[in-house]
Amino acid sequence: MLQTDRISRSFGGVFAVRDVSLSIAEGELRGIIGPNGAGKSTLFNLITGHLRPDHGGLTYRGRRIDRASPHHRASLGISIVFQGARLFRGMTVLENVMVGAHTWTRHGFWSGALRLPRYWREEHRIRDRAKAAVDRVGLAPWAGRYAESLPLGHQRRLQIARALCAQPKLLLLDEPASGLRAEERQQVARVVRQLHREGLTMMLVEHDVGFVTGLADRVTVLDLGEVIADGTPEEIREDERVIAAYLGEGAADA
Amino acid sequence: MNRPTFGYAVAALAAAASFAVPLMLDRSQLTIFILLGTAVIVTTGLSLLMGYAGQVSLGQGSFYAVGAYTAGLMAVHGLPTLLGLAAAPVLAAALAALVGVPLLRLRGHYLAFATLAVQLILLSLVGQFEFTGGDIGLRGIPQLGVGDATLIDPLAYAYVTLAAAALVLLVTRNLIKSRPGRGLRALASTEVAAESAGVPVGRYKLAVFSLSAAYAGLAGGIYAFYLGYISPGSFPVLLSVQFVVMAVVGGLGTVWGPVVGATLITLLVQALNSLGTMPGMPAYAPDVLSYAVYALLLILVLLFMPRGLLPSIGSRLEDRRAISPTRS
């Protein structure tokens, strides 16, 4: 599905991501963990196209996407749920999700402003799919509310719904559970697990190791921009370097 | 009454009122009505640009001027006036698309100043060229018409303006509830997330900038035909500021806000003008009063109704009949 070939990106001479080669298989749920500043978010930005790599390349479904813009990559099927809550304010939950439909619809300013046939054809489908996505994440009762008025946990699920409305083939989740209460984390985990069961390929960045190892098929550990370990959740938990670099001595004892 | 029905009722009422009002006005009042209509058209575009898409323009007067000069020059050179009126928005949009490529990389204050600079440059260019009539301006622009039938009656212009304003409002309303409209509103909050949701941010910003310029150009065309005389002095920077004040006072990010804002400001400026030109007032009184009223209104609205008149009143009404089924 996705291969990164020794991609690197530095800021002011410091590598944020260095020679990272990953291969994500179709249907895989890959966890990415690492301490603060390990390069997890930079890696995601390189995949979404918000950052360009200094070296190395990206191959997605057999084609190079290094030069594709973020919105082009989105239309190729790469969606992301951002860290925090990057919502579209002043728009309802449903409208937020409808924006995601940009990837598979075409009508532009003329069709929209003049209500040409293309608008009518697409608008109903957009609304239906967006409603389905809102339903999936359990936000149907909030569909008409302004996005910014929702609690954080709901906002995260809203972002997931928006990404789903784009009909992604590869979904990136950047710390979807951070800052949430236990119950909200469970809701997010349930949605992710369900999507995994349906065969959606995902990459999950999380600070909380337990959350990732409970969900992921494989886990890649980054430290200072480099891959220091890669394996099943069980292997990762046992890995000496991981324990030293990331979990720390205290965690190893516990 | 549910929301859409309520909205349609208000729209129908406003349409009926604005259709009836010109019949009751005398000649000088009709001029005010027409100027008000052109202000509504420009402000609607500006509100779309600023309120929905989050991009600032302090140079909307320059597109107004381009529209006016396009229509005026074409008519003066004997081209059909309707063609001139049609070309006015097209040329204004073309200029916006051209300057928009570098300009829209800027944000916030920088974009505001850059658009202001565009207007200053444009005005000084127009003042230099001979074919535009220089500083003296363009005189003797023929009346709008088809063939031999020309519009002389201000009442006819009032209805032309009304039709144009209705068209612009309809286009705007349709647009914001469509795929590109949602994309614009999304990129106003966060361009990064909008891009990742598939919104072609750069292209959309350029398109909405051009569309708002097209509105201004159309208004400028009507203005040129109605007055029959334009000069660089007809499009001062204060005019651009006035459009911004109208948009902000009425309420950014609403369809009807520009109508409310433009009406309020136009009537207020007229009232102050008659006050300022009363016998015994100094010659600079009208200018001082109009500047003062922009400043005062802007400060008052931003202090007490930061979202503008219409949204503030709207949400107050909504609070009253609020049913929040999901508040747990």
Side-chain angles (χ1 to χ4, degrees), chain A residues 50 71 89 95 102 105 107 113 123 141 145, chain B residues 174 179-180 182 185-186 189 192 195-196 204 326:
Chain A
H50 290 292
H71 72 262
R89 291 183 299 277
E95 284 176 322
H102 256 83
T105 47
H107 80 264
E123 189 70 9
R145 290 269 294 262
Chain B
N174 285 350
R179 172 182 184 261
R182 284 186 294 269
R185 292 153 69 198
S189 289
V192 168
E195 275 236 279
S196 275
Y204 271 22
T326 47

mmCIF file with all atom_site columns, all heavy atoms in Angstrom, chain A residues 50 71 89 95 102 105 107 113 123 141 145, chain B residues 174 179-180 182 185-186 189 192 195-196 204 326:
data_model
loop_
_atom_site.group_PDB
_atom_site.id
_atom_site.type_symbol
_atom_site.label_atom_id
_atom_site.label_alt_id
_atom_site.label_comp_id
_atom_site.label_asym_id
_atom_site.label_entity_id
_atom_site.label_seq_id
_atom_site.pdbx_PDB_ins_code
_atom_site.Cartn_x
_atom_site.Cartn_y
_atom_site.Cartn_z
_atom_site.occupancy
_atom_site.B_iso_or_equiv
_atom_site.pdbx_formal_charge
_atom_site.auth_seq_id
_atom_site.auth_comp_id
_atom_site.auth_asym_id
_atom_site.auth_atom_id
_atom_site.pdbx_PDB_model_num
ATOM 1   N N   . HIS A 1 50  ? 2.089   17.730 3.355  1.00 0.00 ? 50  HIS A N   1
ATOM 2   C CA  . HIS A 1 50  ? 2.231   19.072 3.912  1.00 0.00 ? 50  HIS A CA  1
ATOM 3   C C   . HIS A 1 50  ? 3.700   19.447 4.077  1.00 0.00 ? 50  HIS A C   1
ATOM 4   O O   . HIS A 1 50  ? 4.040   20.612 4.214  1.00 0.00 ? 50  HIS A O   1
ATOM 5   C CB  . HIS A 1 50  ? 1.480   19.182 5.240  1.00 0.00 ? 50  HIS A CB  1
ATOM 6   C CG  . HIS A 1 50  ? -0.003  19.157 5.051  1.00 0.00 ? 50  HIS A CG  1
ATOM 7   N ND1 . HIS A 1 50  ? -0.680  20.182 4.435  1.00 0.00 ? 50  HIS A ND1 1
ATOM 8   C CD2 . HIS A 1 50  ? -0.932  18.229 5.348  1.00 0.00 ? 50  HIS A CD2 1
ATOM 9   C CE1 . HIS A 1 50  ? -1.956  19.884 4.378  1.00 0.00 ? 50  HIS A CE1 1
ATOM 10  N NE2 . HIS A 1 50  ? -2.151  18.702 4.917  1.00 0.00 ? 50  HIS A NE2 1
ATOM 11  N N   . HIS A 1 71  ? -3.963  18.022 -1.424 1.00 0.00 ? 71  HIS A N   1
ATOM 12  C CA  . HIS A 1 71  ? -5.335  17.711 -1.829 1.00 0.00 ? 71  HIS A CA  1
ATOM 13  C C   . HIS A 1 71  ? -5.370  16.634 -2.905 1.00 0.00 ? 71  HIS A C   1
ATOM 14  O O   . HIS A 1 71  ? -6.317  15.874 -3.006 1.00 0.00 ? 71  HIS A O   1
ATOM 15  C CB  . HIS A 1 71  ? -6.099  18.970 -2.243 1.00 0.00 ? 71  HIS A CB  1
ATOM 16  C CG  . HIS A 1 71  ? -5.685  19.582 -3.541 1.00 0.00 ? 71  HIS A CG  1
ATOM 17  N ND1 . HIS A 1 71  ? -4.822  20.647 -3.608 1.00 0.00 ? 71  HIS A ND1 1
ATOM 18  C CD2 . HIS A 1 71  ? -5.998  19.269 -4.802 1.00 0.00 ? 71  HIS A CD2 1
ATOM 19  C CE1 . HIS A 1 71  ? -4.626  20.958 -4.876 1.00 0.00 ? 71  HIS A CE1 1
ATOM 20  N NE2 . HIS A 1 71  ? -5.318  20.146 -5.618 1.00 0.00 ? 71  HIS A NE2 1
ATOM 21  N N   . ARG A 1 89  ? -14.727 25.662 11.774 1.00 0.00 ? 89  ARG A N   1
ATOM 22  C CA  . ARG A 1 89  ? -15.629 26.405 12.664 1.00 0.00 ? 89  ARG A CA  1
ATOM 23  C C   . ARG A 1 89  ? -16.732 27.078 11.872 1.00 0.00 ? 89  ARG A C   1
ATOM 24  O O   . ARG A 1 89  ? -16.579 27.400 10.703 1.00 0.00 ? 89  ARG A O   1
ATOM 25  C CB  . ARG A 1 89  ? -14.841 27.447 13.453 1.00 0.00 ? 89  ARG A CB  1
ATOM 26  C CG  . ARG A 1 89  ? -13.898 26.843 14.469 1.00 0.00 ? 89  ARG A CG  1
ATOM 27  C CD  . ARG A 1 89  ? -13.192 27.927 15.285 1.00 0.00 ? 89  ARG A CD  1
ATOM 28  N NE  . ARG A 1 89  ? -12.391 28.805 14.431 1.00 0.00 ? 89  ARG A NE  1
ATOM 29  C CZ  . ARG A 1 89  ? -11.162 28.512 14.032 1.00 0.00 ? 89  ARG A CZ  1
ATOM 30  N NH1 . ARG A 1 89  ? -10.588 27.404 14.429 1.00 0.00 ? 89  ARG A NH1 1
ATOM 31  N NH2 . ARG A 1 89  ? -10.505 29.331 13.250 1.00 0.00 ? 89  ARG A NH2 1
ATOM 32  N N   . GLU A 1 95  ? -21.894 19.350 7.957  1.00 0.00 ? 95  GLU A N   1
ATOM 33  C CA  . GLU A 1 95  ? -21.179 20.115 6.921  1.00 0.00 ? 95  GLU A CA  1
ATOM 34  C C   . GLU A 1 95  ? -19.672 19.838 6.967  1.00 0.00 ? 95  GLU A C   1
ATOM 35  O O   . GLU A 1 95  ? -19.020 19.727 5.928  1.00 0.00 ? 95  GLU A O   1
ATOM 36  C CB  . GLU A 1 95  ? -21.428 21.617 7.092  1.00 0.00 ? 95  GLU A CB  1
ATOM 37  C CG  . GLU A 1 95  ? -22.802 22.055 6.613  1.00 0.00 ? 95  GLU A CG  1
ATOM 38  C CD  . GLU A 1 95  ? -23.067 23.536 6.875  1.00 0.00 ? 95  GLU A CD  1
ATOM 39  O OE1 . GLU A 1 95  ? -22.652 24.046 7.941  1.00 0.00 ? 95  GLU A OE1 1
ATOM 40  O OE2 . GLU A 1 95  ? -23.673 24.171 6.023  1.00 0.00 ? 95  GLU A OE2 1
ATOM 41  N N   . HIS A 1 102 ? -14.999 16.109 -0.927 1.00 0.00 ? 102 HIS A N   1
ATOM 42  C CA  . HIS A 1 102 ? -14.266 16.760 -2.018 1.00 0.00 ? 102 HIS A CA  1
ATOM 43  C C   . HIS A 1 102 ? -13.468 15.763 -2.853 1.00 0.00 ? 102 HIS A C   1
ATOM 44  O O   . HIS A 1 102 ? -13.282 15.962 -4.046 1.00 0.00 ? 102 HIS A O   1
ATOM 45  C CB  . HIS A 1 102 ? -13.298 17.803 -1.446 1.00 0.00 ? 102 HIS A CB  1
ATOM 46  C CG  . HIS A 1 102 ? -13.777 19.203 -1.616 1.00 0.00 ? 102 HIS A CG  1
ATOM 47  N ND1 . HIS A 1 102 ? -14.669 19.784 -0.758 1.00 0.00 ? 102 HIS A ND1 1
ATOM 48  C CD2 . HIS A 1 102 ? -13.505 20.124 -2.556 1.00 0.00 ? 102 HIS A CD2 1
ATOM 49  C CE1 . HIS A 1 102 ? -14.921 21.009 -1.166 1.00 0.00 ? 102 HIS A CE1 1
ATOM 50  N NE2 . HIS A 1 102 ? -14.236 21.244 -2.257 1.00 0.00 ? 102 HIS A NE2 1
ATOM 51  N N   . THR A 1 105 ? -15.873 14.049 -5.538 1.00 0.00 ? 105 THR A N   1
ATOM 52  C CA  . THR A 1 105 ? -16.851 14.837 -6.285 1.00 0.00 ? 105 THR A CA  1
ATOM 53  C C   . THR A 1 105 ? -16.115 15.860 -7.128 1.00 0.00 ? 105 THR A C   1
ATOM 54  O O   . THR A 1 105 ? -14.933 16.123 -6.915 1.00 0.00 ? 105 THR A O   1
ATOM 55  C CB  . THR A 1 105 ? -17.834 15.557 -5.346 1.00 0.00 ? 105 THR A CB  1
ATOM 56  O OG1 . THR A 1 105 ? -17.088 16.188 -4.304 1.00 0.00 ? 105 THR A OG1 1
ATOM 57  C CG2 . THR A 1 105 ? -18.826 14.586 -4.757 1.00 0.00 ? 105 THR A CG2 1
ATOM 58  N N   . HIS A 1 107 ? -18.023 18.926 -8.742 1.00 0.00 ? 107 HIS A N   1
ATOM 59  C CA  . HIS A 1 107 ? -18.661 20.186 -9.137 1.00 0.00 ? 107 HIS A CA  1
ATOM 60  C C   . HIS A 1 107 ? -17.985 21.393 -8.501 1.00 0.00 ? 107 HIS A C   1
ATOM 61  O O   . HIS A 1 107 ? -17.584 21.382 -7.358 1.00 0.00 ? 107 HIS A O   1
ATOM 62  C CB  . HIS A 1 107 ? -20.180 20.164 -8.959 1.00 0.00 ? 107 HIS A CB  1
ATOM 63  C CG  . HIS A 1 107 ? -20.689 20.401 -7.569 1.00 0.00 ? 107 HIS A CG  1
ATOM 64  N ND1 . HIS A 1 107 ? -21.023 19.382 -6.717 1.00 0.00 ? 107 HIS A ND1 1
ATOM 65  C CD2 . HIS A 1 107 ? -20.958 21.547 -6.914 1.00 0.00 ? 107 HIS A CD2 1
ATOM 66  C CE1 . HIS A 1 107 ? -21.469 19.891 -5.585 1.00 0.00 ? 107 HIS A CE1 1
ATOM 67  N NE2 . HIS A 1 107 ? -21.441 21.202 -5.669 1.00 0.00 ? 107 HIS A NE2 1
ATOM 68  N N   . ALA A 1 113 ? -22.822 27.603 -7.883 1.00 0.00 ? 113 ALA A N   1
ATOM 69  C CA  . ALA A 1 113 ? -23.491 28.901 -7.819 1.00 0.00 ? 113 ALA A CA  1
ATOM 70  C C   . ALA A 1 113 ? -24.751 28.929 -8.670 1.00 0.00 ? 113 ALA A C   1
ATOM 71  O O   . ALA A 1 113 ? -25.738 29.566 -8.310 1.00 0.00 ? 113 ALA A O   1
ATOM 72  C CB  . ALA A 1 113 ? -22.528 30.001 -8.268 1.00 0.00 ? 113 ALA A CB  1
ATOM 73  N N   . GLU A 1 123 ? -24.821 16.544 -4.948 1.00 0.00 ? 123 GLU A N   1
ATOM 74  C CA  . GLU A 1 123 ? -25.159 17.037 -3.610 1.00 0.00 ? 123 GLU A CA  1
ATOM 75  C C   . GLU A 1 123 ? -25.880 15.979 -2.773 1.00 0.00 ? 123 GLU A C   1
ATOM 76  O O   . GLU A 1 123 ? -25.596 15.807 -1.594 1.00 0.00 ? 123 GLU A O   1
ATOM 77  C CB  . GLU A 1 123 ? -25.989 18.321 -3.732 1.00 0.00 ? 123 GLU A CB  1
ATOM 78  C CG  . GLU A 1 123 ? -26.214 19.057 -2.423 1.00 0.00 ? 123 GLU A CG  1
ATOM 79  C CD  . GLU A 1 123 ? -24.947 19.714 -1.851 1.00 0.00 ? 123 GLU A CD  1
ATOM 80  O OE1 . GLU A 1 123 ? -23.912 19.744 -2.552 1.00 0.00 ? 123 GLU A OE1 1
ATOM 81  O OE2 . GLU A 1 123 ? -25.000 20.174 -0.707 1.00 0.00 ? 123 GLU A OE2 1
ATOM 82  N N   . PRO A 1 141 ? -26.802 12.207 16.648 1.00 0.00 ? 141 PRO A N   1
ATOM 83  C CA  . PRO A 1 141 ? -27.612 13.193 17.382 1.00 0.00 ? 141 PRO A CA  1
ATOM 84  C C   . PRO A 1 141 ? -27.033 14.605 17.347 1.00 0.00 ? 141 PRO A C   1
ATOM 85  O O   . PRO A 1 141 ? -27.723 15.563 17.658 1.00 0.00 ? 141 PRO A O   1
ATOM 86  C CB  . PRO A 1 141 ? -27.612 12.656 18.822 1.00 0.00 ? 141 PRO A CB  1
ATOM 87  C CG  . PRO A 1 141 ? -27.160 11.250 18.728 1.00 0.00 ? 141 PRO A CG  1
ATOM 88  C CD  . PRO A 1 141 ? -26.293 11.162 17.528 1.00 0.00 ? 141 PRO A CD  1
ATOM 89  N N   . ARG A 1 145 ? -25.315 20.306 15.043 1.00 0.00 ? 145 ARG A N   1
ATOM 90  C CA  . ARG A 1 145 ? -24.647 21.240 15.951 1.00 0.00 ? 145 ARG A CA  1
ATOM 91  C C   . ARG A 1 145 ? -23.384 21.805 15.323 1.00 0.00 ? 145 ARG A C   1
ATOM 92  O O   . ARG A 1 145 ? -22.755 21.168 14.482 1.00 0.00 ? 145 ARG A O   1
ATOM 93  C CB  . ARG A 1 145 ? -24.268 20.492 17.238 1.00 0.00 ? 145 ARG A CB  1
ATOM 94  C CG  . ARG A 1 145 ? -25.461 20.124 18.096 1.00 0.00 ? 145 ARG A CG  1
ATOM 95  C CD  . ARG A 1 145 ? -25.785 21.198 19.109 1.00 0.00 ? 145 ARG A CD  1
ATOM 96  N NE  . ARG A 1 145 ? -24.739 21.340 20.099 1.00 0.00 ? 145 ARG A NE  1
ATOM 97  C CZ  . ARG A 1 145 ? -24.800 20.781 21.300 1.00 0.00 ? 145 ARG A CZ  1
ATOM 98  N NH1 . ARG A 1 145 ? -25.828 20.049 21.656 1.00 0.00 ? 145 ARG A NH1 1
ATOM 99  N NH2 . ARG A 1 145 ? -23.824 20.965 22.164 1.00 0.00 ? 145 ARG A NH2 1
ATOM 100 N N   . ASN B 2 174 ? -26.452 30.207 -3.125 1.00 0.00 ? 174 ASN B N   1
ATOM 101 C CA  . ASN B 2 174 ? -26.260 28.884 -3.715 1.00 0.00 ? 174 ASN B CA  1
ATOM 102 C C   . ASN B 2 174 ? -24.848 28.370 -3.484 1.00 0.00 ? 174 ASN B C   1
ATOM 103 O O   . ASN B 2 174 ? -24.647 27.206 -3.146 1.00 0.00 ? 174 ASN B O   1
ATOM 104 C CB  . ASN B 2 174 ? -26.513 28.933 -5.221 1.00 0.00 ? 174 ASN B CB  1
ATOM 105 C CG  . ASN B 2 174 ? -27.986 29.029 -5.545 1.00 0.00 ? 174 ASN B CG  1
ATOM 106 O OD1 . ASN B 2 174 ? -28.831 28.883 -4.662 1.00 0.00 ? 174 ASN B OD1 1
ATOM 107 N ND2 . ASN B 2 174 ? -28.296 29.276 -6.798 1.00 0.00 ? 174 ASN B ND2 1
ATOM 108 N N   . ARG B 2 179 ? -20.565 22.281 -2.771 1.00 0.00 ? 179 ARG B N   1
ATOM 109 C CA  . ARG B 2 179 ? -19.239 21.714 -2.519 1.00 0.00 ? 179 ARG B CA  1
ATOM 110 C C   . ARG B 2 179 ? -18.147 22.787 -2.432 1.00 0.00 ? 179 ARG B C   1
ATOM 111 O O   . ARG B 2 179 ? -17.428 22.843 -1.433 1.00 0.00 ? 179 ARG B O   1
ATOM 112 C CB  . ARG B 2 179 ? -18.922 20.699 -3.620 1.00 0.00 ? 179 ARG B CB  1
ATOM 113 C CG  . ARG B 2 179 ? -17.526 20.158 -3.639 1.00 0.00 ? 179 ARG B CG  1
ATOM 114 C CD  . ARG B 2 179 ? -17.368 19.215 -4.824 1.00 0.00 ? 179 ARG B CD  1
ATOM 115 N NE  . ARG B 2 179 ? -16.075 18.581 -4.871 1.00 0.00 ? 179 ARG B NE  1
ATOM 116 C CZ  . ARG B 2 179 ? -15.067 18.996 -5.637 1.00 0.00 ? 179 ARG B CZ  1
ATOM 117 N NH1 . ARG B 2 179 ? -15.221 20.070 -6.385 1.00 0.00 ? 179 ARG B NH1 1
ATOM 118 N NH2 . ARG B 2 179 ? -13.935 18.347 -5.654 1.00 0.00 ? 179 ARG B NH2 1
ATOM 119 N N   . PRO B 2 180 ? -18.022 23.674 -3.446 1.00 0.00 ? 180 PRO B N   1
ATOM 120 C CA  . PRO B 2 180 ? -16.971 24.686 -3.328 1.00 0.00 ? 180 PRO B CA  1
ATOM 121 C C   . PRO B 2 180 ? -17.202 25.643 -2.156 1.00 0.00 ? 180 PRO B C   1
ATOM 122 O O   . PRO B 2 180 ? -16.248 26.097 -1.527 1.00 0.00 ? 180 PRO B O   1
ATOM 123 C CB  . PRO B 2 180 ? -17.016 25.427 -4.661 1.00 0.00 ? 180 PRO B CB  1
ATOM 124 C CG  . PRO B 2 180 ? -18.306 25.075 -5.285 1.00 0.00 ? 180 PRO B CG  1
ATOM 125 C CD  . PRO B 2 180 ? -18.694 23.739 -4.752 1.00 0.00 ? 180 PRO B CD  1
ATOM 126 N N   . ARG B 2 182 ? -18.578 24.954 0.761  1.00 0.00 ? 182 ARG B N   1
ATOM 127 C CA  . ARG B 2 182 ? -18.124 24.300 1.988  1.00 0.00 ? 182 ARG B CA  1
ATOM 128 C C   . ARG B 2 182 ? -16.605 24.271 2.040  1.00 0.00 ? 182 ARG B C   1
ATOM 129 O O   . ARG B 2 182 ? -16.004 24.434 3.107  1.00 0.00 ? 182 ARG B O   1
ATOM 130 C CB  . ARG B 2 182 ? -18.687 22.877 2.064  1.00 0.00 ? 182 ARG B CB  1
ATOM 131 C CG  . ARG B 2 182 ? -20.161 22.819 2.445  1.00 0.00 ? 182 ARG B CG  1
ATOM 132 C CD  . ARG B 2 182 ? -20.610 21.389 2.651  1.00 0.00 ? 182 ARG B CD  1
ATOM 133 N NE  . ARG B 2 182 ? -20.581 20.621 1.410  1.00 0.00 ? 182 ARG B NE  1
ATOM 134 C CZ  . ARG B 2 182 ? -21.613 20.516 0.571  1.00 0.00 ? 182 ARG B CZ  1
ATOM 135 N NH1 . ARG B 2 182 ? -22.751 21.097 0.862  1.00 0.00 ? 182 ARG B NH1 1
ATOM 136 N NH2 . ARG B 2 182 ? -21.497 19.812 -0.528 1.00 0.00 ? 182 ARG B NH2 1
ATOM 137 N N   . ARG B 2 185 ? -15.469 27.722 3.211  1.00 0.00 ? 185 ARG B N   1
ATOM 138 C CA  . ARG B 2 185 ? -15.692 27.926 4.642  1.00 0.00 ? 185 ARG B CA  1
ATOM 139 C C   . ARG B 2 185 ? -14.713 27.088 5.445  1.00 0.00 ? 185 ARG B C   1
ATOM 140 O O   . ARG B 2 185 ? -14.266 27.488 6.520  1.00 0.00 ? 185 ARG B O   1
ATOM 141 C CB  . ARG B 2 185 ? -17.136 27.555 4.983  1.00 0.00 ? 185 ARG B CB  1
ATOM 142 C CG  . ARG B 2 185 ? -18.138 28.541 4.359  1.00 0.00 ? 185 ARG B CG  1
ATOM 143 C CD  . ARG B 2 185 ? -19.468 27.923 4.116  1.00 0.00 ? 185 ARG B CD  1
ATOM 144 N NE  . ARG B 2 185 ? -20.173 27.635 5.353  1.00 0.00 ? 185 ARG B NE  1
ATOM 145 C CZ  . ARG B 2 185 ? -21.204 26.788 5.423  1.00 0.00 ? 185 ARG B CZ  1
ATOM 146 N NH1 . ARG B 2 185 ? -21.616 26.151 4.333  1.00 0.00 ? 185 ARG B NH1 1
ATOM 147 N NH2 . ARG B 2 185 ? -21.801 26.581 6.552  1.00 0.00 ? 185 ARG B NH2 1
ATOM 148 N N   . ALA B 2 186 ? -14.356 25.922 4.919  1.00 0.00 ? 186 ALA B N   1
ATOM 149 C CA  . ALA B 2 186 ? -13.402 25.064 5.610  1.00 0.00 ? 186 ALA B CA  1
ATOM 150 C C   . ALA B 2 186 ? -12.014 25.695 5.628  1.00 0.00 ? 186 ALA B C   1
ATOM 151 O O   . ALA B 2 186 ? -11.363 25.757 6.672  1.00 0.00 ? 186 ALA B O   1
ATOM 152 C CB  . ALA B 2 186 ? -13.349 23.688 4.946  1.00 0.00 ? 186 ALA B CB  1
ATOM 153 N N   . SER B 2 189 ? -11.082 28.263 8.260  1.00 0.00 ? 189 SER B N   1
ATOM 154 C CA  . SER B 2 189 ? -10.695 27.818 9.612  1.00 0.00 ? 189 SER B CA  1
ATOM 155 C C   . SER B 2 189 ? -9.279  27.278 9.632  1.00 0.00 ? 189 SER B C   1
ATOM 156 O O   . SER B 2 189 ? -8.457  27.693 10.439 1.00 0.00 ? 189 SER B O   1
ATOM 157 C CB  . SER B 2 189 ? -11.617 26.701 10.108 1.00 0.00 ? 189 SER B CB  1
ATOM 158 O OG  . SER B 2 189 ? -12.884 27.179 10.399 1.00 0.00 ? 189 SER B OG  1
ATOM 159 N N   . VAL B 2 192 ? -4.681  23.759 6.348  1.00 0.00 ? 192 VAL B N   1
ATOM 160 C CA  . VAL B 2 192 ? -4.013  22.455 6.357  1.00 0.00 ? 192 VAL B CA  1
ATOM 161 C C   . VAL B 2 192 ? -5.040  21.330 6.343  1.00 0.00 ? 192 VAL B C   1
ATOM 162 O O   . VAL B 2 192 ? -4.973  20.413 5.518  1.00 0.00 ? 192 VAL B O   1
ATOM 163 C CB  . VAL B 2 192 ? -3.090  22.346 7.595  1.00 0.00 ? 192 VAL B CB  1
ATOM 164 C CG1 . VAL B 2 192 ? -2.623  20.918 7.792  1.00 0.00 ? 192 VAL B CG1 1
ATOM 165 C CG2 . VAL B 2 192 ? -1.899  23.269 7.440  1.00 0.00 ? 192 VAL B CG2 1
ATOM 166 N N   . GLU B 2 195 ? -6.990  21.191 3.024  1.00 0.00 ? 195 GLU B N   1
ATOM 167 C CA  . GLU B 2 195 ? -6.226  20.542 1.949  1.00 0.00 ? 195 GLU B CA  1
ATOM 168 C C   . GLU B 2 195 ? -6.267  19.039 2.078  1.00 0.00 ? 195 GLU B C   1
ATOM 169 O O   . GLU B 2 195 ? -6.460  18.323 1.093  1.00 0.00 ? 195 GLU B O   1
ATOM 170 C CB  . GLU B 2 195 ? -4.761  21.000 2.002  1.00 0.00 ? 195 GLU B CB  1
ATOM 171 C CG  . GLU B 2 195 ? -4.513  22.291 1.290  1.00 0.00 ? 195 GLU B CG  1
ATOM 172 C CD  . GLU B 2 195 ? -3.443  22.133 0.226  1.00 0.00 ? 195 GLU B CD  1
ATOM 173 O OE1 . GLU B 2 195 ? -2.265  22.170 0.602  1.00 0.00 ? 195 GLU B OE1 1
ATOM 174 O OE2 . GLU B 2 195 ? -3.775  21.961 -0.952 1.00 0.00 ? 195 GLU B OE2 1
ATOM 175 N N   . SER B 2 196 ? -6.111  18.567 3.310  1.00 0.00 ? 196 SER B N   1
ATOM 176 C CA  . SER B 2 196 ? -6.104  17.124 3.515  1.00 0.00 ? 196 SER B CA  1
ATOM 177 C C   . SER B 2 196 ? -7.486  16.509 3.335  1.00 0.00 ? 196 SER B C   1
ATOM 178 O O   . SER B 2 196 ? -7.607  15.305 3.159  1.00 0.00 ? 196 SER B O   1
ATOM 179 C CB  . SER B 2 196 ? -5.561  16.781 4.896  1.00 0.00 ? 196 SER B CB  1
ATOM 180 O OG  . SER B 2 196 ? -4.163  16.733 4.834  1.00 0.00 ? 196 SER B OG  1
ATOM 181 N N   . TYR B 2 204 ? -9.180  27.560 -4.942 1.00 0.00 ? 204 TYR B N   1
ATOM 182 C CA  . TYR B 2 204 ? -10.419 28.091 -4.377 1.00 0.00 ? 204 TYR B CA  1
ATOM 183 C C   . TYR B 2 204 ? -10.265 29.547 -3.942 1.00 0.00 ? 204 TYR B C   1
ATOM 184 O O   . TYR B 2 204 ? -11.163 30.363 -4.132 1.00 0.00 ? 204 TYR B O   1
ATOM 185 C CB  . TYR B 2 204 ? -10.864 27.238 -3.181 1.00 0.00 ? 204 TYR B CB  1
ATOM 186 C CG  . TYR B 2 204 ? -11.755 26.078 -3.540 1.00 0.00 ? 204 TYR B CG  1
ATOM 187 C CD1 . TYR B 2 204 ? -11.758 25.550 -4.831 1.00 0.00 ? 204 TYR B CD1 1
ATOM 188 C CD2 . TYR B 2 204 ? -12.604 25.515 -2.600 1.00 0.00 ? 204 TYR B CD2 1
ATOM 189 C CE1 . TYR B 2 204 ? -12.568 24.483 -5.154 1.00 0.00 ? 204 TYR B CE1 1
ATOM 190 C CE2 . TYR B 2 204 ? -13.421 24.448 -2.922 1.00 0.00 ? 204 TYR B CE2 1
ATOM 191 C CZ  . TYR B 2 204 ? -13.406 23.931 -4.199 1.00 0.00 ? 204 TYR B CZ  1
ATOM 192 O OH  . TYR B 2 204 ? -14.216 22.889 -4.517 1.00 0.00 ? 204 TYR B OH  1
ATOM 193 N N   . THR B 2 326 ? -29.831 18.018 22.595 1.00 0.00 ? 326 THR B N   1
ATOM 194 C CA  . THR B 2 326 ? -28.701 17.134 22.865 1.00 0.00 ? 326 THR B CA  1
ATOM 195 C C   . THR B 2 326 ? -27.886 17.580 24.070 1.00 0.00 ? 326 THR B C   1
ATOM 196 O O   . THR B 2 326 ? -26.858 17.002 24.358 1.00 0.00 ? 326 THR B O   1
ATOM 197 C CB  . THR B 2 326 ? -27.787 17.083 21.636 1.00 0.00 ? 326 THR B CB  1
ATOM 198 O OG1 . THR B 2 326 ? -27.569 18.415 21.199 1.00 0.00 ? 326 THR B OG1 1
ATOM 199 C CG2 . THR B 2 326 ? -28.426 16.256 20.544 1.00 0.00 ? 326 THR B CG2 1
#
